[in-house]
Structures are given as C-alpha cells and as structure tokens.
Amino acid sequence: MTGTLTKFVPKPCRRPTLPLPQPGILLALVAVSIAATLSSDGAAAEPVAIHVSPETVVQRIPPDFIGFGYETSAVALTNYFSAGNKELIQLYRNLSSDGLIRIGGNVSDHARYEPDGVSAARTEREVTVINRRNLQDLEEFARATGWRVMWGLNFGTGSKEEAAREAHAVSDILGDRLQSLQIGNEVDLRSHYTLKYDDFASYYSNYLACKRAILAVVPEARFSGPDVAGNLEWFRKFSRAEAGHVEFLTHHYYRTGANRPEATIQNLLASDHAWDDKLRELQQISRDAGTPFRINEVNSFYGGGKRGVSDTYASALWCLDYMLVLASHGCDGVNLETDVNQLGWISHYSPIVHEPSGKCTARPEYYALLAFGMAAKGDLLKIDLDKQTINLTAYATRPEDQSIWLVAVNKDGSRDAELKVGLPGVYARAEAFWLKAPGAQSTNEVTLAGTQVAADGRWTPGPPNEVSIRKKRVELIVPHLSALLLHFRQ
C-alpha cells in the first residue's frame, strides 16, 4: 500500500435492503465509545448496560467475510501456498471453511506470468515472475482450505494482451477456486504506472480496453473493482458504470502510515470517526449500485506496520472491533494484509508469518480473526447500549442455531466495565470466552478461550466460564484491554 488512507455470478447484492444506521440509534455493530472514573485494579468499574433485541436484524455477515490479502510475490514462494503446507492450511480452516484470499497489492503491477519460467518473488522495484506450477500450488492450497481467490492483474506496467494471457492462465488453473479478477491496484494513485491517465474517464477507458481483451479469451471471466486507495469519487463513478458487472466494489483502509508520529497504540485503539463517515457513504453507494463492497486490503498502518504497535495484543483488540464495525456498515468482507510486503520483508501487522523453511506462526491479530470466526456469524442484531465514556464497543449476532453471541471489546487502557446485559427470557444458559493478554504491548502471550494456537496450527478453545442469568440479566466485569465473547443458549 502506498496511499495515505484513511462470488460468484453477477447478481444484485446478497444482503437484504435494511435501513442505514442513523445518528442516535444504537445498533448491534455500532462502535461506541464509553468512559469512566475507574481504577484498573478493580476499584469502581464503569457501569455499562446492554439490551439485545433478537427481533431486529441490522445486517447479515456473509460466510466468506474473513479473508487475507497478499502481494503477488507471495505466490512465487515455492514453500508457502502449497497443499503440503499443513500448518497454514490448518490456520485457515480454524477461521472458516469459506474465506477469500486476495492476491494483488503493489507487486501485482510489477509481476509477469511466464508459464515455464523460473518463479521469482521480488519487491515492487523489480519484476516478480509467476509460473504455471505456482498457480497449480495455489489452486491445491485453496481447495484444501475451501477458500477462493481474488486475483489482481498487472494494469500498471504490462499490456492488455499480457493481462489477458495471465487472466486466461489464472482462470484455467484455479477453476472454481477463482472468485474474481481485478484490473490494477490502487488505480486512483497511479504514480507507479507506465500506463498514464489523468482522471477517472481516461482510467475507465483503459480499464474497459483491458477488460475486453480478457473477455475475448475468458468469456466467463468475473471481475471486482475499482480497487481504490481512498478516492471515493472514483469508487462512486465506477459503481455506476459497472453495476451488475462486478462481484465486489473494492476499497482499501489503513489508519495511517507506519512512519507517522500518530502511529501509536493509543490512536489505533481510538475510534476513527472520519472513516465511520466514509463507511456510511460506501454503504450507500453499494446499495445504490446493488453491488456488495469489500475492504480488500486493510491493516493497521501502511508501509508494513509499526513494530511495537502493529505486532502487539493492542492490534488484536483493534482488529476484532474493526471487523465488526465494517460488518455493521454492510461491508461484505475484509482481507487482512499479511506476510511478505511490497518491500520484500514480512510486515509487522501480519496475522500469520512464515519462517524461511515455510513454517507458519500465528501473531496477535490472528486471535482477533479466531474470535470473529467464533462469534460473528449469521445475523447482526440491534442492541441498546447505555454507557458513559469508557472506550468499549459492543455487538450482538445470531447464528443459524438461534443462540446469541454478544461481543464486548474493552479497548480502554485503564478502566474496567461492569457489564449488565438484558435479554429475552427464552435464553437460560450463558457462557463466557475471553480474548486476553498480559498487556497492550504483549506479542506472544495472547490467548482466546484460555488457549493458544499449537505449533501444528491447531486451536482448540478451553472450557468456557459459566455465567449466571438472574431475572433475564447477566452481570460481569469486562477488564480493561480485553474482549468478552458471551454465548447465550436457550
């Protein structure tokens, strides 16, 4: 990512038409800030009251909401995307059996497909080479996980003929594992493009020429776009021009740059109100076009993240809350950037990293994805939230089994919350799971449900804490810098 920001068959948006969040209405996935007077050692926790309304559905979370994003150079690594990488396959399957892998980034505009060439994983300053074997390995990996692939084509330094040849190979080899193609990365920045265009009109003209070349050799090709870094006007114009012809409208998000002074834990855990406003616009544009939108490149700070912030437990709390914020605004999914970046090193913000041998390890953000996969399924429900100023957010979901999950993320650095949750009387049992670590800067002691990811990639939650329900209400303390996953059963 170089900017400053911040499935399929063509068909209308899969989500039902639901009212947009309005000021003053507290929704199941509305991020809320609350404050207090409390002490972190248990003196006087801040009172927080929540009432869940199971009869009111705010949004729905698609099964493939969770995703990862990679630079194209990751595909050129011979020991990464492979059916033999059992650890990585397990790490994926822990999260979902139906996710989305986005291949692209800056490197996609400096990559070349050579069927019988020697694969080469390079930075954005060089040329990455992808061959047939790389694509076959990716297909086998995707099939083993159950996930599909969004593939970004070279729109920056290649020709439309080369893009068509690459699209044909990707479509032929990935088969039903290919979700869609993208023509270019962060097309609104274009500073690194050989192809010159001055405005949306000239960009779109070149886009259509490339798309026609692809459809000539892959008539069934499916596309997503415009893959912008932050230009909302380009996003809006593309949505109008391509409504009904793309799988997803796509946009990127990073809180700020890794080298900027505001790249701190405090700012990462604070609400991003400007982005919330933009999300409402993205949601409305998506609805007007009848086309889902996805934040298909996202993480804490662009430029590979910041050591001591992006690789800490604080980033896990941010990540869990952020995904729920997106879901509350009708977003159809996220692709968390991970592993090798456009500069050739493994980003600090990566949920999963690999050693030179190919061995993969889960980092703090991965536990946020685990928590989301555990509790954020099915319908998002309306909640009423009564609190003051403690930095806590709350969301409720209802999966197919008709149980209810309440997720409370206490991002406050010092204040605990005294949570009181009211719900319908049909729910007679409650159990609590926790996302925890010794401190905000912890990097290797993060746990979910009392356990960590094993060396082989497996994760098994520990037994939950049973919670008493009295008079249709649950009361418990949510410590500062922790997240609660509260599960209600009938």
Side-chain angles (χ1 to χ4, degrees), residues 164-182:
R165 286 194 291 271
E166 182 180 343
H168 184 271
V170 170
S171 179
D172 182 56
I173 294 172
L174 295 188
D176 64 357
R177 293 299 91 195
L178 179 63
Q179 185 267 342
S180 63
L181 299 167
Q182 289 195 291

Side-chain angles (χ1 to χ4, degrees), residues 54 57 377-379 381 397-405 426-427 487-490:
V57 176
K377 297 177 181 177
D379 296 331
L381 304 176
T397 67
R398 181 177 56 207
E400 291 184 1
D401 65 6
Q402 299 303 300
S403 64
I404 286 179
W405 286 88
V426 296
Y427 295 93
H487 195 198
F488 296 99
R489 298 180 182 273
Q490 296 184 17

Side-chain angles (χ1 to χ4, degrees), residues 438-456:
Q441 293 182 298
S442 299
T443 58
N444 58 6
E445 298 178 80
V446 182
T447 61
L448 176 64
T451 63
Q452 292 188 303
V453 177
D456 63 359

Side-chain angles (χ1 to χ4, degrees), residues 84 137 185 226 312 320:
D137 286 343
N185 171 70
T312 67
L320 176 58

Side-chain angles (χ1 to χ4, degrees), residues 16-226:
T17 300
L18 296 165
L20 291 171
Q22 299 296 321
I25 297 178
L26 297 172
L27 301 177
L29 290 164
V30 170
V32 286
S33 295
I34 41 189
T37 49
L38 130 256
S39 85
S40 60
D41 41 10
E46 182 69 24
V48 177
I50 298 174
H51 182 80
V52 181
S53 300
E55 68 280 1
T56 306
V57 176
V58 178
Q59 298 292 342
R60 291 189 176 89
I61 301 176
D64 62 350
F65 190 95
I66 293 177
F68 289 117
Y70 294 88
E71 296 289 329
T72 303
S73 49
V75 181
L77 300 173
T78 57
N79 61 355
Y80 193 72
F81 289 122
S82 163
N85 194 339
K86 303 301 184 183
E87 293 167 357
L88 187 58
I89 290 170
Q90 183 62 52
L91 288 168
Y92 270 59
R93 293 190 66 84
N94 291 342
L95 304 176
S96 173
S97 59
D98 184 19
L100 184 64
I101 306 166
R102 182 251 184 170
I103 304 296
N106 287 3
V107 172
S108 66
D109 284 316
H110 302 273
R112 185 172 64 241
Y113 175 68
E114 296 180 5
D116 302 311
V118 177
S119 63
R122 305 297 188 205
T123 72
E124 63 182 346
R125 299 184 180 93
E126 303 167 273
V127 177
T128 286
V129 177
I130 303 295
N131 61 28
R132 182 184 295 109
R133 181 68 257 177
N134 297 146
L135 293 180
Q136 290 170 340
D137 286 343
L138 178 61
E139 187 276 336
E140 291 171 2
F141 175 85
R143 195 165 298 283
T145 61
W147 292 33
R148 294 194 293 167
V149 176
M150 176 187 286
W151 183 274
L153 299 164
N154 186 338
F155 188 59
T157 60
S159 66
K160 62 180 183 292
E161 291 80 13
E162 290 171 319
R165 286 194 291 271
E166 182 180 343
H168 184 271
V170 170
S171 179
D172 182 56
I173 294 172
L174 295 188
D176 64 357
R177 293 299 91 195
L178 179 63
Q179 185 267 342
S180 63
L181 299 167
Q182 289 195 291
I183 300 174
N185 171 70
E186 295 185 345
V187 293
D188 51 327
L189 298 182
R190 65 199 181 281
S191 59
H192 57 294
Y193 279 16
T194 300
L195 181 66
K196 301 298 181 184
Y197 46 85
D198 300 320
D199 53 21
F200 177 82
S202 56
Y203 149 72
Y204 187 58
S205 175
N206 284 294
Y207 170 89
L208 289 178
C210 188
K211 184 177 179 180
R212 284 193 294 268
I214 294 168
L215 289 172
V217 295
V218 190
E220 71 281 8
R222 297 166 296 187
F223 299 88
S224 291

Side-chain angles (χ1 to χ4, degrees), residues 286-307:
S286 169
R287 285 183 168 174
D288 290 345
T291 306
F293 80 99
R294 190 175 182 99
I295 307 301
N296 73 325
E297 182 178 319
V298 53
N299 219 299
S300 55
F301 310 125
Y302 63 84
K306 184 175 181 178
R307 186 189 298 276

